[in-house]
Amino acid sequence: MQFHLWFDPTKGFHNYAILWNPNEIIFFVDDVPIRRYPKKSDAIFPQRPMYVYGSIWDASSWATEDGRIKADYKYQPFVGKYNNFKIGGCTTNDNPSCRPPSGSPSRSGGLSRQQNDAMEWVQRNYKVYDYCRDPQRDRTHTPEC
């Protein structure tokens, strides 16, 4: 999925988070969930441990409305900055009593009704691309769709 956020991300720092647990992956922007990827089966849910990787690359050919908007190299070098970077959770070999962070106010997992409403608002108003709804995409490689 691709979103045009409800703010200009170049005008200040924002909080981006990924909550990945054995049942779902939830993407947040400034504590607002924008996408939830529930586990439907082991075959289509990541089973390997999570790692963090940051990069900047020219994705003009696919990430900018089918290449309509090209990267403008007169603004290089392109720099990504991370401020107040935090990572937490449990490893696959951790003690069973380890409790990973939760995006749920009840800390029991899942999203609250308010969070679900916020995610639906974002998807209704700011989602500009959904690979599951792309008629040119080969769905044999995306069984989650």
Side-chain angles (χ1 to χ4, degrees):
M1 291 182 185
Q2 183 182 17
F3 297 87
H4 287 170
L5 299 174
W6 54 97
F7 56 86
D8 182 347
T10 67
K11 299 295 183 200
F13 284 95
H14 294 274
N15 295 307
Y16 302 90
I18 301 169
L19 173 67
W20 185 343
N21 65 41
N23 302 310
E24 63 191 355
I25 302 170
I26 305 172
F27 299 84
F28 295 86
V29 177
D30 290 339
D31 297 324
V32 176
I34 64 168
R35 180 176 183 200
R36 180 176 173 266
Y37 186 90
K39 179 178 182 177
K40 294 178 182 174
S41 77
D42 286 343
I44 59 169
F45 195 80
Q47 298 297 316
R48 295 184 303 192
M50 180 178 171
Y51 62 93
V52 177
Y53 179 83
S55 179
I56 297 175
W57 72 95
D58 182 0
S60 298
S61 64
W62 61 272
T64 58
E65 299 175 26
D66 253 350
R68 187 176 67 78
I69 303 167
K70 303 293 182 200
D72 189 341
Y73 286 96
K74 74 180 177 191
Y75 296 107
Q76 68 179 325
F78 303 113
V79 178
K81 293 181 181 180
Y82 300 93
N83 187 18
N84 200 18
F85 184 83
K86 297 175 189 171
I87 190 164
C90 301
T91 68
T92 55
N93 300 321
D94 258 336
N95 182 320
S97 65
C98 179
R99 296 285 179 244
S102 170
S104 171
S106 67
R107 306 200 57 80
S108 62
L111 296 174
S112 70
R113 179 183 203 112
Q114 181 180 4
Q115 288 174 312
N116 268 314
D117 290 347
M119 183 173 64
E120 288 174 12
W121 172 79
V122 169
Q123 290 189 0
R124 192 172 48 251
N125 294 290
Y126 299 99
K127 181 172 61 176
V128 296
Y129 177 74
D130 184 343
Y131 64 93
C132 285
R133 301 206 184 326
D134 185 343
Q136 297 177 333
R137 189 156 188 113
D138 178 1
R139 291 219 182 30
T140 60
H141 299 294
T142 53
E144 70 272 21
C145 296

